[in-house]
Amino acid sequence: MEKGCKIADAMNTYNLALSIVKSKGYKIFVLPHADEENFDFWAIKGTRQFAGGDPLRLLGLISIWENTGDDWQKHMPEEDIYDQILSRAFPDSIKDFDQLTNEDFNELVSDYKLFFHEILNKKFPEDPTRQEMFDLIDSFYKE
């Protein structure tokens, strides 16, 4: 049986992220902001420069470039995935779920079943209605 992994954005991942950036051949610098309380991490290699507010963001930006290249902005998805995820997490009303196709609603249920089981370790209702899903998600995020 596969062990699995759970990793989260936390200070205990910063050193590893910086080590990975260095292993890719980047030089790493810190540039303070004008307020002298905050700073950005910069990674430079050749003509490539990346800046992030913490080592995980820095590594994430390098990963974006590695997957898309110098013309990374041309690879923007047409759909607003960020907005879609937030809309699913914070529905305005039951109408948001009523507008979903059966296929999209079933995918939403399947996704939240996974989330409740794997992340929250909580029981998930069997075959919830659209109203039950709205109530569940609406109440969950208000807790």
Side-chain angles (χ1 to χ4, degrees):
M1 185 170 157
E2 189 176 341
K3 180 180 171 190
C5 174
K6 187 183 286 188
I7 186 170
D9 177 352
M11 293 282 297
N12 70 348
T13 60
Y14 283 12
N15 198 42
L16 178 58
L18 291 171
S19 176
I20 293 169
V21 171
K22 282 185 72 173
S23 75
K24 294 175 177 289
Y26 291 89
K27 299 293 183 186
I28 302 171
F29 303 91
V30 173
L31 180 63
H33 293 185
D35 64 14
E36 297 183 9
E37 291 183 25
N38 297 299
F39 52 88
D40 287 323
F41 288 85
W42 282 77
I44 301 171
K45 180 169 128 181
T47 59
R48 310 286 180 327
Q49 303 173 9
F50 303 91
D54 63 54
L56 298 177
R57 290 179 184 186
L58 184 65
L59 181 58
L61 293 169
I62 291 170
S63 178
I64 288 173
W65 174 78
E66 288 175 341
N67 284 278
T68 59
D70 291 340
D71 294 327
W72 61 272
Q73 291 172 316
K74 292 180 181 177
H75 296 270
M76 296 291 186
E78 290 186 25
E79 58 191 332
D80 188 346
I81 299 168
Y82 180 84
D83 186 54
Q84 288 175 3
I85 292 170
L86 290 181
S87 293
R88 283 176 49 159
F90 305 107
D92 292 323
S93 71
I94 182 62
K95 290 179 186 177
D96 292 340
F97 289 168
D98 287 341
Q99 294 173 357
L100 296 174
T101 66
N102 284 339
E103 184 180 338
D104 288 341
F105 179 73
N106 289 335
E107 181 182 358
L108 174 82
V109 170
S110 177
D111 291 351
Y112 270 92
K113 189 178 289 188
L114 173 70
F115 178 67
F116 270 65
H117 180 261
E118 295 293 328
I119 303 298
L120 303 176
N121 207 13
K122 287 187 173 183
K123 190 171 174 100
F124 190 82
E126 194 67 36
D127 296 323
T129 65
R130 292 170 189 253
Q131 182 67 54
E132 289 170 333
M133 273 303 293
F134 172 77
D135 293 343
L136 178 67
I137 293 172
D138 188 52
S139 66
F140 168 74
Y141 286 109
K142 290 180 180 176
E143 290 178 4

